[in-house]
Amino acid sequence: MVSSRRRTILMYGRTRSGKTSQITELADHIKATTGKKSLVYSIDKGGIGPLLPYVDLGIIDLIQQDETNPWMFLAKVSRGQVREKGKWVTADLTQYGQIAIESFTGFGDAFMNNMAEQAAQGINIGGGANVSFSVTSDGETMKIGGSNMAHYGIAQSKLLDEFWRSQKLDVPYLVWTASASKEEDQNFGGKVIGPAGPGKALTAELPRNCDLCFRIDCLPAQQGKPERHIIYLGNSVDLAAGNAVSLGNTRLPLEAPPLPPTVEPASIVKVLDLIDKAETAARESIRKRLKIS
């Protein structure tokens, strides 16, 4: 199974839900069915463990932030560039079946931290009141910076702009990951669980800006039974989170057969196969109904 059209996928969930493992599963499948590699960008400070065997075997090319400024790093990521002999160059995307970016939340955190560091140095960003102070101890003085509301707007705007730009990358699968956040959404009419970004504004809005959106979760081990990893297809109610609605979207045609509400154990390959089959069934149903030969 490799989709007949390009897919932009947003997977979000809390730590240990298995987001990175789903990237490796898709990379494994792409390599086995097409021979192509996957390109993974990571700004996250942890969580690359599941990727390493695939990196060692040449199935995944991993590009980490290292010392690159986070704003510059995301600009390179969204344009599909890689480091080559110390310089950024445009990657040959024909050799990749997937580009995965870890993570939306990580970039948001890095942007906010970077602006706070600049505030500590007296640099005003966005025109709001600077949040900064100094502490003295042990004969040394240290400057501390914080974030004002303007910082959130700048980080959100830049993230969304680069998120859109990345969707122009010519690969079959573009996968973004994010942590999960529960926020109040006035348009939705209650609490929602969605991808976490800087502040609250993008939690309910980001899923509409991509092709497919799934929440992935891990239920803890209980009474000797192992932990369970689940992918939710579409919106679902989380009873453990005060009946908050976790957001998702499969964007199927009206005539498509219904999908199961969840896939367990979590498998992005199975989810994409189910969606492809449902789209094919919908197309065939429309063809027969309209008598199109």
Side-chain angles (χ1 to χ4, degrees), residues 158-175:
K158 185 60 175 176
L159 265 170
L160 190 56
D161 180 60
E162 300 292 6
F163 184 78
W164 289 335
R165 187 188 305 277
S166 71
Q167 296 183 40
K168 299 177 183 178
L169 295 172
D170 191 12
V171 289
Y173 297 103
L174 173 70
V175 179

Side-chain angles (χ1 to χ4, degrees), residues 206-250:
L206 193 61
R208 71 179 178 86
N209 287 281
C210 56
D211 182 25
L212 302 172
C213 178
F214 309 114
R215 180 189 176 196
I216 182 169
D217 200 12
C218 175
L219 303 183
Q222 290 183 340
Q223 299 178 342
K225 295 182 179 180
E227 60 185 19
R228 298 159 52 199
H229 295 264
I230 304 171
I231 292 181
Y232 294 86
L233 284 68
N235 293 339
S236 61
V237 175
D238 191 325
L239 300 179
N243 293 328
V245 175
S246 63
L247 303 176
N249 204 332
T250 55

Side-chain angles (χ1 to χ4, degrees), residues 20-266:
T20 305
S21 294
Q22 295 304 309
I23 290 173
T24 64
E25 180 187 291
L26 186 55
D28 189 297
H29 178 80
I30 290 169
K31 183 66 174 179
T33 55
T34 71
K36 293 189 174 186
K37 300 187 294 182
S38 292
L39 176 60
V40 178
Y41 295 98
S42 178
I43 197 172
D44 290 347
K45 302 308 178 186
I48 65 168
L51 301 171
L52 296 181
Y54 294 85
V55 174
D56 292 341
L57 293 170
I59 299 169
I60 287 176
D61 288 342
L62 175 63
I63 309 296
Q64 295 181 270
Q65 178 194 4
D66 295 334
E67 299 303 315
T68 303
N69 177 279
W71 304 88
M72 184 65 70
F73 185 50
L74 183 54
K76 300 302 183 183
V77 168
S78 67
R79 291 160 175 80
Q81 296 186 5
V82 296
R83 293 188 185 94
E84 189 174 290
K85 297 180 180 179
K87 295 183 178 180
W88 287 99
V89 299
T90 301
D92 175 13
L93 298 186
T94 62
Q95 64 180 315
Y96 298 113
Q98 170 190 205
I99 291 179
I101 304 170
E102 296 231 272
S103 65
F104 192 88
T105 309
F107 275 106
D109 290 345
F111 286 175
M112 296 302 293
N113 184 65
N114 179 264
M115 287 187 284
E117 289 177 347
Q118 294 190 63
Q121 302 303 316
I123 300 172
N124 186 281
I125 300 173
N130 244 17
V131 181
S132 62
F133 60 97
S134 298
V135 296
T136 300
S137 179
D138 300 322
E140 298 183 36
T141 298
M142 179 172 61
K143 294 181 178 180
I144 308 295
S147 296
N148 59 41
M149 291 308 297
H151 292 182
Y152 287 97
I154 292 168
Q156 291 163 2
S157 176
K158 185 60 175 176
L159 265 170
L160 190 56
D161 180 60
E162 300 292 6
F163 184 78
W164 289 335
R165 187 188 305 277
S166 71
Q167 296 183 40
K168 299 177 183 178
L169 295 172
D170 191 12
V171 289
Y173 297 103
L174 173 70
V175 179
W176 276 83
T177 66
S179 298
S181 179
K182 184 174 75 170
E183 305 292 351
E184 189 78 31
D185 178 41
Q186 300 301 326
N187 295 325
F188 204 88
K191 292 284 186 183
V192 297
I193 301 173
K200 303 177 181 180
L202 292 177
T203 296
E205 292 299 314
L206 193 61
R208 71 179 178 86
N209 287 281
C210 56
D211 182 25
L212 302 172
C213 178
F214 309 114
R215 180 189 176 196
I216 182 169
D217 200 12
C218 175
L219 303 183
Q222 290 183 340
Q223 299 178 342
K225 295 182 179 180
E227 60 185 19
R228 298 159 52 199
H229 295 264
I230 304 171
I231 292 181
Y232 294 86
L233 284 68
N235 293 339
S236 61
V237 175
D238 191 325
L239 300 179
N243 293 328
V245 175
S246 63
L247 303 176
N249 204 332
T250 55
R251 302 191 188 280
L252 288 175
L254 288 175
E255 299 204 19
L259 296 176
T262 62
V263 168
E264 183 186 356

